[in-house]
Amino acid sequence: MDRPLQIVFRDIQHSASLAKLIEERVQRLEHVYDHIIGCRVVAGVSHRGPQQAIMPLALTVEVEVPGRPLIVAKSDAKRKGEQSGLVNRVFDAIQRRLEQVAEIKKGNVKRHENALESGVVVRLFADQNHGFVEVKGGVDLYFTRNCVVRGSFDALRIGALVQITRATTEGVMGPQASSVQVVEQISAAAGEPRRTRGRRSQAAEPAVTA
């Protein structure tokens, strides 16, 4: 990394065991993505509800890479003392996001007629109802509001991971997408489209911003 790892313990005592877990997971990230500018990890207490006498641990991980929005994942421990599971859950979300971005960067996405390609939203013009998606190996693809077939155009943010189908003909803005499917949106659960919350027995998936 260009900058040293930053670990912040907020409103809790420093934990050497937790710091070691974090350092090990950061080293794994460096094998996934070839150029990480910096990583900041904040460990603190969860504030999910004032009725809890002892607040479980909360973890936020921020990773900066060149030319991309800040990638952020955060989650709370399901119970007091759950360190390893929480660290792995949050870092797994970050790692999946970095792997997806790395694939786009390397161009390891096979293209066939009418096949889906992975891309990242790089420009949005909400007042004009269109935007552009970066797909490795070509110019940015133009898309309109009506092309968004899964997810909401109004909820799109720069940096969102999408899958697109290329149009067979060019439009007034050049190469274009005929469909855009949101794969990972700002503040969506890691690796999944935004969904309605329901009753779950497991700990919630880390929220990811990218």
Short mmCIF file of all heavy atoms in Angstrom, two decimals, residues 77-144:
data_model
loop_
_atom_site.label_atom_id
_atom_site.label_comp_id
_atom_site.label_asym_id
_atom_site.label_seq_id
_atom_site.Cartn_x
_atom_site.Cartn_y
_atom_site.Cartn_z
N ALA A 77 -21.20 -6.82 15.15
CA ALA A 77 -21.17 -8.19 15.64
C ALA A 77 -22.56 -8.59 16.11
O ALA A 77 -23.32 -7.77 16.62
CB ALA A 77 -20.17 -8.31 16.78
N LYS A 78 -22.89 -9.85 15.90
CA LYS A 78 -24.20 -10.34 16.34
C LYS A 78 -24.28 -10.44 17.85
O LYS A 78 -25.34 -10.29 18.46
CB LYS A 78 -24.47 -11.70 15.69
CG LYS A 78 -25.84 -12.27 15.99
CD LYS A 78 -26.04 -13.60 15.31
CE LYS A 78 -27.40 -14.21 15.63
NZ LYS A 78 -27.59 -15.52 15.01
N ARG A 79 -23.14 -10.70 18.46
CA ARG A 79 -23.10 -10.87 19.91
C ARG A 79 -21.75 -10.38 20.44
O ARG A 79 -20.79 -10.27 19.69
CB ARG A 79 -23.31 -12.33 20.30
CG ARG A 79 -22.27 -13.26 19.70
CD ARG A 79 -22.62 -14.73 19.92
NE ARG A 79 -21.65 -15.59 19.26
CZ ARG A 79 -21.71 -15.94 17.99
NH1 ARG A 79 -22.69 -15.46 17.24
NH2 ARG A 79 -20.80 -16.73 17.45
N LYS A 80 -21.68 -10.12 21.71
CA LYS A 80 -20.45 -9.68 22.34
C LYS A 80 -19.39 -10.77 22.21
O LYS A 80 -19.66 -11.95 22.40
CB LYS A 80 -20.69 -9.36 23.81
CG LYS A 80 -19.48 -8.79 24.53
CD LYS A 80 -19.82 -8.45 25.96
CE LYS A 80 -18.61 -7.86 26.68
NZ LYS A 80 -17.51 -8.82 26.82
N GLY A 81 -18.16 -10.39 21.86
CA GLY A 81 -17.06 -11.33 21.76
C GLY A 81 -16.86 -11.93 20.39
O GLY A 81 -15.93 -12.71 20.19
N GLU A 82 -17.72 -11.57 19.43
CA GLU A 82 -17.59 -12.11 18.07
C GLU A 82 -16.62 -11.24 17.28
O GLU A 82 -17.01 -10.34 16.56
CB GLU A 82 -18.94 -12.15 17.37
CG GLU A 82 -18.88 -12.81 16.00
CD GLU A 82 -20.04 -12.40 15.09
OE1 GLU A 82 -20.75 -11.45 15.43
OE2 GLU A 82 -20.17 -13.02 14.03
N GLN A 83 -15.33 -11.52 17.41
CA GLN A 83 -14.33 -10.73 16.70
C GLN A 83 -13.99 -11.32 15.35
O GLN A 83 -14.08 -10.65 14.32
CB GLN A 83 -13.05 -10.62 17.54
CG GLN A 83 -13.15 -9.66 18.71
CD GLN A 83 -11.79 -9.39 19.33
OE1 GLN A 83 -10.77 -9.97 18.94
NE2 GLN A 83 -11.76 -8.53 20.31
N SER A 84 -13.59 -12.58 15.35
CA SER A 84 -13.11 -13.20 14.12
C SER A 84 -14.20 -13.22 13.05
O SER A 84 -13.95 -12.89 11.88
CB SER A 84 -12.64 -14.63 14.40
OG SER A 84 -12.20 -15.27 13.22
N GLY A 85 -15.42 -13.60 13.43
CA GLY A 85 -16.51 -13.66 12.46
C GLY A 85 -16.82 -12.30 11.86
O GLY A 85 -17.07 -12.18 10.65
N LEU A 86 -16.80 -11.27 12.69
CA LEU A 86 -17.09 -9.92 12.21
C LEU A 86 -16.01 -9.44 11.25
O LEU A 86 -16.30 -8.90 10.18
CB LEU A 86 -17.20 -8.96 13.40
CG LEU A 86 -17.38 -7.48 13.05
CD1 LEU A 86 -18.68 -7.25 12.29
CD2 LEU A 86 -17.34 -6.62 14.32
N VAL A 87 -14.74 -9.64 11.63
CA VAL A 87 -13.63 -9.21 10.77
C VAL A 87 -13.70 -9.92 9.42
O VAL A 87 -13.59 -9.28 8.36
CB VAL A 87 -12.27 -9.49 11.44
CG1 VAL A 87 -11.12 -9.27 10.46
CG2 VAL A 87 -12.09 -8.57 12.66
N ASN A 88 -13.92 -11.22 9.44
CA ASN A 88 -13.99 -11.97 8.18
C ASN A 88 -15.18 -11.53 7.34
O ASN A 88 -15.07 -11.41 6.11
CB ASN A 88 -14.08 -13.47 8.46
CG ASN A 88 -12.77 -14.04 8.95
OD1 ASN A 88 -11.70 -13.55 8.61
ND2 ASN A 88 -12.83 -15.09 9.76
N ARG A 89 -16.31 -11.27 7.96
CA ARG A 89 -17.51 -10.87 7.22
C ARG A 89 -17.30 -9.54 6.50
O ARG A 89 -17.62 -9.40 5.32
CB ARG A 89 -18.69 -10.79 8.19
CG ARG A 89 -20.04 -10.56 7.52
CD ARG A 89 -21.18 -10.93 8.46
NE ARG A 89 -21.23 -10.11 9.65
CZ ARG A 89 -21.00 -10.56 10.88
NH1 ARG A 89 -20.65 -11.82 11.08
NH2 ARG A 89 -21.11 -9.75 11.92
N VAL A 90 -16.72 -8.58 7.20
CA VAL A 90 -16.53 -7.26 6.59
C VAL A 90 -15.43 -7.30 5.53
O VAL A 90 -15.59 -6.75 4.43
CB VAL A 90 -16.20 -6.22 7.68
CG1 VAL A 90 -15.92 -4.86 7.05
CG2 VAL A 90 -17.36 -6.08 8.66
N PHE A 91 -14.33 -7.98 5.82
CA PHE A 91 -13.25 -8.04 4.84
C PHE A 91 -13.61 -8.91 3.64
O PHE A 91 -13.12 -8.66 2.53
CB PHE A 91 -11.95 -8.52 5.50
CG PHE A 91 -11.15 -7.41 6.11
CD1 PHE A 91 -11.30 -7.06 7.43
CD2 PHE A 91 -10.25 -6.67 5.34
CE1 PHE A 91 -10.58 -6.02 8.00
CE2 PHE A 91 -9.52 -5.63 5.89
CZ PHE A 91 -9.68 -5.30 7.22
N ASP A 92 -14.45 -9.92 3.83
CA ASP A 92 -14.92 -10.70 2.69
C ASP A 92 -15.70 -9.80 1.72
O ASP A 92 -15.58 -9.94 0.49
CB ASP A 92 -15.82 -11.85 3.15
CG ASP A 92 -15.03 -13.02 3.73
OD1 ASP A 92 -13.79 -13.04 3.57
OD2 ASP A 92 -15.66 -13.91 4.34
N ALA A 93 -16.50 -8.90 2.27
CA ALA A 93 -17.26 -7.97 1.42
C ALA A 93 -16.33 -7.05 0.64
O ALA A 93 -16.51 -6.82 -0.56
CB ALA A 93 -18.22 -7.14 2.28
N ILE A 94 -15.30 -6.54 1.31
CA ILE A 94 -14.31 -5.69 0.64
C ILE A 94 -13.57 -6.48 -0.43
O ILE A 94 -13.36 -6.00 -1.55
CB ILE A 94 -13.31 -5.11 1.66
CG1 ILE A 94 -13.99 -4.08 2.58
CG2 ILE A 94 -12.11 -4.48 0.95
CD1 ILE A 94 -14.27 -2.74 1.93
N GLN A 95 -13.18 -7.70 -0.11
CA GLN A 95 -12.42 -8.52 -1.06
C GLN A 95 -13.24 -8.82 -2.30
O GLN A 95 -12.72 -8.76 -3.43
CB GLN A 95 -11.98 -9.82 -0.39
CG GLN A 95 -11.12 -10.71 -1.30
CD GLN A 95 -10.48 -11.86 -0.55
OE1 GLN A 95 -10.10 -11.73 0.61
NE2 GLN A 95 -10.35 -12.99 -1.20
N ARG A 96 -14.53 -9.14 -2.14
CA ARG A 96 -15.37 -9.40 -3.30
C ARG A 96 -15.45 -8.18 -4.21
O ARG A 96 -15.39 -8.29 -5.44
CB ARG A 96 -16.77 -9.82 -2.86
CG ARG A 96 -16.87 -11.23 -2.31
CD ARG A 96 -18.32 -11.69 -2.21
NE ARG A 96 -19.09 -10.88 -1.27
CZ ARG A 96 -19.22 -11.17 0.01
NH1 ARG A 96 -18.61 -12.23 0.51
NH2 ARG A 96 -19.95 -10.41 0.80
N ARG A 97 -15.56 -7.02 -3.61
CA ARG A 97 -15.66 -5.79 -4.40
C ARG A 97 -14.35 -5.54 -5.15
O ARG A 97 -14.36 -5.17 -6.33
CB ARG A 97 -15.98 -4.60 -3.49
CG ARG A 97 -16.23 -3.31 -4.25
CD ARG A 97 -17.54 -3.40 -5.03
NE ARG A 97 -17.78 -2.17 -5.76
CZ ARG A 97 -17.46 -1.97 -7.03
NH1 ARG A 97 -16.87 -2.93 -7.71
NH2 ARG A 97 -17.71 -0.82 -7.62
N LEU A 98 -13.21 -5.75 -4.50
CA LEU A 98 -11.93 -5.55 -5.16
C LEU A 98 -11.73 -6.56 -6.28
O LEU A 98 -11.17 -6.22 -7.33
CB LEU A 98 -10.79 -5.67 -4.13
CG LEU A 98 -10.61 -4.49 -3.17
CD1 LEU A 98 -9.54 -4.81 -2.14
CD2 LEU A 98 -10.26 -3.21 -3.92
N GLU A 99 -12.17 -7.79 -6.07
CA GLU A 99 -12.05 -8.81 -7.13
C GLU A 99 -12.87 -8.41 -8.35
O GLU A 99 -12.43 -8.59 -9.50
CB GLU A 99 -12.52 -10.16 -6.59
CG GLU A 99 -11.54 -10.79 -5.61
CD GLU A 99 -12.11 -12.02 -4.92
OE1 GLU A 99 -13.34 -12.21 -4.98
OE2 GLU A 99 -11.33 -12.77 -4.31
N GLN A 100 -14.06 -7.85 -8.13
CA GLN A 100 -14.91 -7.43 -9.24
C GLN A 100 -14.26 -6.28 -10.01
O GLN A 100 -14.24 -6.26 -11.25
CB GLN A 100 -16.29 -7.03 -8.72
CG GLN A 100 -17.09 -8.22 -8.19
CD GLN A 100 -18.26 -7.79 -7.33
OE1 GLN A 100 -18.31 -6.68 -6.83
NE2 GLN A 100 -19.22 -8.69 -7.16
N VAL A 101 -13.73 -5.32 -9.28
CA VAL A 101 -13.08 -4.18 -9.92
C VAL A 101 -11.82 -4.64 -10.67
O VAL A 101 -11.52 -4.16 -11.77
CB VAL A 101 -12.73 -3.09 -8.88
CG1 VAL A 101 -11.92 -1.97 -9.51
CG2 VAL A 101 -14.00 -2.52 -8.27
N ALA A 102 -11.08 -5.59 -10.09
CA ALA A 102 -9.87 -6.10 -10.73
C ALA A 102 -10.20 -6.79 -12.04
O ALA A 102 -9.46 -6.67 -13.02
CB ALA A 102 -9.14 -7.06 -9.79
N GLU A 103 -11.30 -7.53 -12.08
CA GLU A 103 -11.70 -8.21 -13.31
C GLU A 103 -12.01 -7.21 -14.42
O GLU A 103 -11.64 -7.41 -15.57
CB GLU A 103 -12.92 -9.10 -13.04
CG GLU A 103 -12.61 -10.35 -12.24
CD GLU A 103 -11.62 -11.25 -12.97
OE1 GLU A 103 -11.92 -11.69 -14.09
OE2 GLU A 103 -10.54 -11.50 -12.41
N ILE A 104 -12.69 -6.14 -14.05
CA ILE A 104 -12.99 -5.10 -15.04
C ILE A 104 -11.70 -4.44 -15.51
O ILE A 104 -11.50 -4.20 -16.71
CB ILE A 104 -13.95 -4.06 -14.44
CG1 ILE A 104 -15.30 -4.71 -14.12
CG2 ILE A 104 -14.14 -2.87 -15.38
CD1 ILE A 104 -16.24 -3.81 -13.36
N LYS A 105 -10.80 -4.17 -14.58
CA LYS A 105 -9.54 -3.52 -14.91
C LYS A 105 -8.69 -4.37 -15.86
O LYS A 105 -8.08 -3.88 -16.80
CB LYS A 105 -8.76 -3.25 -13.62
CG LYS A 105 -7.42 -2.58 -13.83
CD LYS A 105 -6.73 -2.37 -12.48
CE LYS A 105 -5.33 -1.80 -12.67
NZ LYS A 105 -4.64 -1.65 -11.37
N LYS A 106 -8.67 -5.68 -15.62
CA LYS A 106 -7.86 -6.59 -16.44
C LYS A 106 -8.55 -6.96 -17.75
O LYS A 106 -7.91 -7.49 -18.65
CB LYS A 106 -7.56 -7.87 -15.64
CG LYS A 106 -6.68 -7.65 -14.42
CD LYS A 106 -6.52 -8.95 -13.65
CE LYS A 106 -5.67 -8.75 -12.39
NZ LYS A 106 -5.57 -10.00 -11.61
N GLY A 107 -9.84 -6.72 -17.84
CA GLY A 107 -10.56 -7.08 -19.06
C GLY A 107 -10.87 -8.55 -19.15
O GLY A 107 -11.06 -9.09 -20.24
N ASN A 108 -10.92 -9.24 -18.00
CA ASN A 108 -11.19 -10.68 -18.01
C ASN A 108 -12.68 -10.97 -18.05
O ASN A 108 -13.22 -11.75 -17.27
CB ASN A 108 -10.59 -11.33 -16.75
CG ASN A 108 -9.09 -11.29 -16.77
OD1 ASN A 108 -8.48 -11.15 -17.82
ND2 ASN A 108 -8.48 -11.40 -15.59
N VAL A 109 -13.36 -10.29 -18.98
CA VAL A 109 -14.79 -10.51 -19.16
C VAL A 109 -15.02 -10.87 -20.61
O VAL A 109 -14.79 -10.08 -21.52
CB VAL A 109 -15.61 -9.24 -18.81
CG1 VAL A 109 -17.09 -9.50 -19.00
CG2 VAL A 109 -15.32 -8.80 -17.38
N LYS A 110 -15.42 -12.09 -20.88
CA LYS A 110 -15.64 -12.54 -22.24
C LYS A 110 -16.88 -11.87 -22.82
O LYS A 110 -17.90 -11.76 -22.16
CB LYS A 110 -15.80 -14.06 -22.29
CG LYS A 110 -14.55 -14.82 -21.85
CD LYS A 110 -14.77 -16.31 -21.94
CE LYS A 110 -13.51 -17.06 -21.51
NZ LYS A 110 -13.70 -18.52 -21.56
N ARG A 111 -16.77 -11.45 -24.08
CA ARG A 111 -17.89 -10.77 -24.71
C ARG A 111 -18.45 -11.63 -25.83
O ARG A 111 -17.73 -12.10 -26.70
CB ARG A 111 -17.44 -9.41 -25.26
CG ARG A 111 -17.15 -8.39 -24.20
CD ARG A 111 -17.38 -7.00 -24.76
NE ARG A 111 -16.53 -6.72 -25.89
CZ ARG A 111 -15.37 -6.08 -25.82
NH1 ARG A 111 -14.91 -5.69 -24.67
NH2 ARG A 111 -14.67 -5.83 -26.90
N HIS A 112 -19.74 -11.82 -25.83
CA HIS A 112 -20.45 -12.50 -26.89
C HIS A 112 -21.67 -11.66 -27.23
O HIS A 112 -22.11 -10.84 -26.43
CB HIS A 112 -20.89 -13.91 -26.47
CG HIS A 112 -19.76 -14.76 -25.99
ND1 HIS A 112 -18.87 -15.37 -26.84
CD2 HIS A 112 -19.36 -15.09 -24.73
CE1 HIS A 112 -17.99 -16.06 -26.16
NE2 HIS A 112 -18.25 -15.90 -24.86
N GLU A 113 -22.22 -11.89 -28.40
CA GLU A 113 -23.41 -11.14 -28.78
C GLU A 113 -24.51 -11.39 -27.77
O GLU A 113 -24.82 -12.52 -27.41
CB GLU A 113 -23.87 -11.57 -30.17
CG GLU A 113 -25.00 -10.71 -30.72
CD GLU A 113 -25.35 -11.08 -32.13
OE1 GLU A 113 -24.72 -12.00 -32.69
OE2 GLU A 113 -26.28 -10.46 -32.67
N ASN A 114 -25.13 -10.30 -27.29
CA ASN A 114 -26.22 -10.33 -26.32
C ASN A 114 -25.79 -10.86 -24.95
O ASN A 114 -26.64 -11.14 -24.11
CB ASN A 114 -27.40 -11.17 -26.83
CG ASN A 114 -28.02 -10.58 -28.10
OD1 ASN A 114 -28.07 -9.36 -28.25
ND2 ASN A 114 -28.46 -11.43 -29.00
N ALA A 115 -24.48 -11.01 -24.72
CA ALA A 115 -24.00 -11.49 -23.42
C ALA A 115 -23.85 -10.33 -22.46
O ALA A 115 -23.61 -9.18 -22.86
CB ALA A 115 -22.67 -12.22 -23.58
N LEU A 116 -23.98 -10.64 -21.17
CA LEU A 116 -23.81 -9.61 -20.15
C LEU A 116 -22.33 -9.35 -19.92
O LEU A 116 -21.52 -10.26 -19.90
CB LEU A 116 -24.47 -10.05 -18.84
CG LEU A 116 -26.01 -10.15 -18.84
CD1 LEU A 116 -26.48 -10.72 -17.51
CD2 LEU A 116 -26.64 -8.79 -19.09
N GLU A 117 -22.00 -8.09 -19.73
CA GLU A 117 -20.64 -7.68 -19.37
C GLU A 117 -20.70 -6.89 -18.08
O GLU A 117 -21.67 -6.18 -17.81
CB GLU A 117 -20.03 -6.80 -20.46
CG GLU A 117 -19.94 -7.45 -21.83
CD GLU A 117 -19.42 -6.45 -22.86
OE1 GLU A 117 -18.37 -5.83 -22.60
OE2 GLU A 117 -20.07 -6.28 -23.90
N SER A 118 -19.64 -7.01 -17.29
CA SER A 118 -19.57 -6.23 -16.05
C SER A 118 -19.02 -4.85 -16.34
O SER A 118 -18.15 -4.68 -17.19
CB SER A 118 -18.68 -6.94 -15.02
OG SER A 118 -19.24 -8.17 -14.64
N GLY A 119 -19.52 -3.87 -15.62
CA GLY A 119 -19.05 -2.51 -15.79
C GLY A 119 -19.28 -1.70 -14.53
O GLY A 119 -19.88 -2.18 -13.57
N VAL A 120 -18.80 -0.47 -14.56
CA VAL A 120 -18.95 0.44 -13.42
C VAL A 120 -19.51 1.77 -13.93
O VAL A 120 -19.04 2.30 -14.94
CB VAL A 120 -17.59 0.69 -12.72
CG1 VAL A 120 -17.73 1.74 -11.63
CG2 VAL A 120 -17.05 -0.61 -12.13
N VAL A 121 -20.52 2.28 -13.26
CA VAL A 121 -21.08 3.57 -13.63
C VAL A 121 -20.04 4.66 -13.34
O VAL A 121 -19.57 4.79 -12.21
CB VAL A 121 -22.38 3.86 -12.84
CG1 VAL A 121 -22.89 5.26 -13.15
CG2 VAL A 121 -23.43 2.82 -13.16
N VAL A 122 -19.66 5.42 -14.37
CA VAL A 122 -18.62 6.43 -14.20
C VAL A 122 -19.13 7.86 -14.36
O VAL A 122 -18.50 8.80 -13.89
CB VAL A 122 -17.45 6.20 -15.19
CG1 VAL A 122 -16.67 4.95 -14.81
CG2 VAL A 122 -17.94 6.10 -16.63
N ARG A 123 -20.27 8.03 -15.04
CA ARG A 123 -20.87 9.36 -15.18
C ARG A 123 -22.38 9.25 -15.16
O ARG A 123 -22.95 8.33 -15.72
CB ARG A 123 -20.43 10.02 -16.50
CG ARG A 123 -19.00 10.55 -16.50
CD ARG A 123 -18.62 11.09 -17.87
NE ARG A 123 -18.39 10.02 -18.82
CZ ARG A 123 -18.35 10.18 -20.14
NH1 ARG A 123 -18.57 11.38 -20.67
NH2 ARG A 123 -18.10 9.15 -20.95
N LEU A 124 -23.02 10.21 -14.47
CA LEU A 124 -24.47 10.23 -14.40
C LEU A 124 -24.98 11.65 -14.64
O LEU A 124 -24.41 12.62 -14.11
CB LEU A 124 -24.95 9.76 -13.02
CG LEU A 124 -25.05 8.25 -12.79
CD1 LEU A 124 -25.38 7.98 -11.33
CD2 LEU A 124 -26.11 7.63 -13.69
N PHE A 125 -26.03 11.75 -15.43
CA PHE A 125 -26.68 13.03 -15.69
C PHE A 125 -28.17 12.83 -15.42
O PHE A 125 -28.97 12.63 -16.34
CB PHE A 125 -26.43 13.48 -17.14
CG PHE A 125 -24.97 13.60 -17.48
CD1 PHE A 125 -24.27 12.53 -18.01
CD2 PHE A 125 -24.28 14.78 -17.22
CE1 PHE A 125 -22.93 12.64 -18.32
CE2 PHE A 125 -22.93 14.90 -17.52
CZ PHE A 125 -22.24 13.82 -18.07
N ALA A 126 -28.52 12.86 -14.13
CA ALA A 126 -29.89 12.53 -13.72
C ALA A 126 -30.91 13.47 -14.34
O ALA A 126 -32.01 13.04 -14.71
CB ALA A 126 -29.99 12.57 -12.20
N ASP A 127 -30.57 14.75 -14.47
CA ASP A 127 -31.53 15.70 -15.03
C ASP A 127 -31.77 15.47 -16.51
O ASP A 127 -32.77 15.92 -17.08
CB ASP A 127 -31.05 17.13 -14.80
CG ASP A 127 -29.66 17.40 -15.37
OD1 ASP A 127 -28.88 16.43 -15.48
OD2 ASP A 127 -29.36 18.56 -15.71
N GLN A 128 -30.84 14.73 -17.16
CA GLN A 128 -30.98 14.43 -18.59
C GLN A 128 -31.32 12.95 -18.82
O GLN A 128 -31.36 12.49 -19.96
CB GLN A 128 -29.70 14.79 -19.33
CG GLN A 128 -29.33 16.27 -19.21
CD GLN A 128 -28.00 16.59 -19.87
OE1 GLN A 128 -27.65 16.02 -20.90
NE2 GLN A 128 -27.25 17.50 -19.27
N ASN A 129 -31.53 12.22 -17.72
CA ASN A 129 -31.98 10.82 -17.80
C ASN A 129 -31.03 9.89 -18.53
O ASN A 129 -31.45 8.97 -19.24
CB ASN A 129 -33.37 10.73 -18.46
CG ASN A 129 -34.44 11.41 -17.63
OD1 ASN A 129 -34.47 11.28 -16.41
ND2 ASN A 129 -35.31 12.15 -18.29
N HIS A 130 -29.72 10.10 -18.36
CA HIS A 130 -28.77 9.17 -18.96
C HIS A 130 -27.47 9.16 -18.17
O HIS A 130 -27.26 9.97 -17.27
CB HIS A 130 -28.51 9.50 -20.43
CG HIS A 130 -27.68 10.74 -20.66
ND1 HIS A 130 -28.23 11.97 -20.91
CD2 HIS A 130 -26.34 10.93 -20.68
CE1 HIS A 130 -27.27 12.86 -21.08
NE2 HIS A 130 -26.11 12.25 -20.94
N GLY A 131 -26.60 8.20 -18.54
CA GLY A 131 -25.31 8.09 -17.89
C GLY A 131 -24.37 7.27 -18.76
O GLY A 131 -24.69 6.93 -19.90
N PHE A 132 -23.18 6.96 -18.20
CA PHE A 132 -22.18 6.19 -18.95
C PHE A 132 -21.59 5.12 -18.04
O PHE A 132 -21.36 5.34 -16.85
CB PHE A 132 -21.07 7.11 -19.45
CG PHE A 132 -21.51 8.05 -20.54
CD1 PHE A 132 -22.10 9.27 -20.23
CD2 PHE A 132 -21.36 7.72 -21.88
CE1 PHE A 132 -22.52 10.14 -21.22
CE2 PHE A 132 -21.77 8.58 -22.89
CZ PHE A 132 -22.36 9.80 -22.56
N VAL A 133 -21.34 3.96 -18.64
CA VAL A 133 -20.75 2.82 -17.94
C VAL A 133 -19.37 2.53 -18.52
O VAL A 133 -19.21 2.47 -19.75
CB VAL A 133 -21.63 1.57 -18.07
CG1 VAL A 133 -20.94 0.35 -17.46
CG2 VAL A 133 -22.97 1.79 -17.39
N GLU A 134 -18.39 2.34 -17.64
CA GLU A 134 -17.05 1.94 -18.08
C GLU A 134 -16.99 0.42 -18.19
O GLU A 134 -17.29 -0.30 -17.24
CB GLU A 134 -16.00 2.42 -17.08
CG GLU A 134 -14.59 1.95 -17.44
CD GLU A 134 -13.59 2.19 -16.33
OE1 GLU A 134 -14.01 2.41 -15.18
OE2 GLU A 134 -12.38 2.15 -16.60
N VAL A 135 -16.63 -0.06 -19.38
CA VAL A 135 -16.42 -1.48 -19.62
C VAL A 135 -15.02 -1.65 -20.19
O VAL A 135 -14.64 -0.95 -21.13
CB VAL A 135 -17.47 -2.05 -20.60
CG1 VAL A 135 -17.21 -3.52 -20.85
CG2 VAL A 135 -18.87 -1.84 -20.06
N LYS A 136 -14.25 -2.56 -19.63
CA LYS A 136 -12.87 -2.73 -20.05
C LYS A 136 -12.80 -3.11 -21.53
O LYS A 136 -13.57 -3.91 -22.02
CB LYS A 136 -12.20 -3.83 -19.22
CG LYS A 136 -10.71 -3.97 -19.49
CD LYS A 136 -9.94 -2.75 -19.02
CE LYS A 136 -8.45 -2.93 -19.23
NZ LYS A 136 -7.69 -1.74 -18.80
N GLY A 137 -11.86 -2.51 -22.22
CA GLY A 137 -11.62 -2.86 -23.62
C GLY A 137 -12.36 -2.03 -24.62
O GLY A 137 -12.41 -2.37 -25.81
N GLY A 138 -12.94 -0.91 -24.21
CA GLY A 138 -13.66 -0.07 -25.15
C GLY A 138 -14.00 1.28 -24.55
O GLY A 138 -13.64 1.58 -23.42
N VAL A 139 -14.71 2.08 -25.33
CA VAL A 139 -15.12 3.39 -24.85
C VAL A 139 -16.26 3.23 -23.85
O VAL A 139 -16.91 2.18 -23.79
CB VAL A 139 -15.55 4.29 -26.02
CG1 VAL A 139 -14.41 4.51 -26.99
CG2 VAL A 139 -16.75 3.68 -26.75
N ASP A 140 -16.51 4.27 -23.08
CA ASP A 140 -17.63 4.23 -22.15
C ASP A 140 -18.94 4.09 -22.92
O ASP A 140 -19.12 4.70 -23.98
CB ASP A 140 -17.66 5.51 -21.31
CG ASP A 140 -16.45 5.63 -20.40
OD1 ASP A 140 -15.75 4.61 -20.22
OD2 ASP A 140 -16.20 6.73 -19.87
N LEU A 141 -19.86 3.30 -22.38
CA LEU A 141 -21.13 3.04 -23.04
C LEU A 141 -22.23 3.94 -22.48
O LEU A 141 -22.41 4.04 -21.26
CB LEU A 141 -21.53 1.58 -22.88
CG LEU A 141 -20.58 0.53 -23.45
CD1 LEU A 141 -21.12 -0.87 -23.20
CD2 LEU A 141 -20.37 0.75 -24.94
N TYR A 142 -22.95 4.55 -23.38
CA TYR A 142 -24.07 5.43 -23.03
C TYR A 142 -25.29 4.57 -22.68
O TYR A 142 -25.53 3.53 -23.28
CB TYR A 142 -24.37 6.32 -24.24
CG TYR A 142 -25.66 7.10 -24.19
CD1 TYR A 142 -25.75 8.29 -23.49
CD2 TYR A 142 -26.79 6.65 -24.89
CE1 TYR A 142 -26.93 9.03 -23.48
CE2 TYR A 142 -27.97 7.38 -24.89
CZ TYR A 142 -28.04 8.56 -24.18
OH TYR A 142 -29.21 9.28 -24.18
N PHE A 143 -26.07 5.00 -21.67
CA PHE A 143 -27.32 4.32 -21.38
C PHE A 143 -28.35 5.35 -20.90
O PHE A 143 -27.98 6.42 -20.40
CB PHE A 143 -27.15 3.21 -20.33
CG PHE A 143 -26.88 3.72 -18.93
CD1 PHE A 143 -27.91 3.89 -18.01
CD2 PHE A 143 -25.58 4.01 -18.52
CE1 PHE A 143 -27.66 4.35 -16.72
CE2 PHE A 143 -25.32 4.47 -17.23
CZ PHE A 143 -26.36 4.63 -16.34
N THR A 144 -29.61 5.02 -21.07
CA THR A 144 -30.68 5.91 -20.67
C THR A 144 -31.44 5.34 -19.48
O THR A 144 -31.25 4.18 -19.09
CB THR A 144 -31.68 6.14 -21.82
OG1 THR A 144 -32.34 4.88 -22.11
CG2 THR A 144 -30.97 6.64 -23.07
#
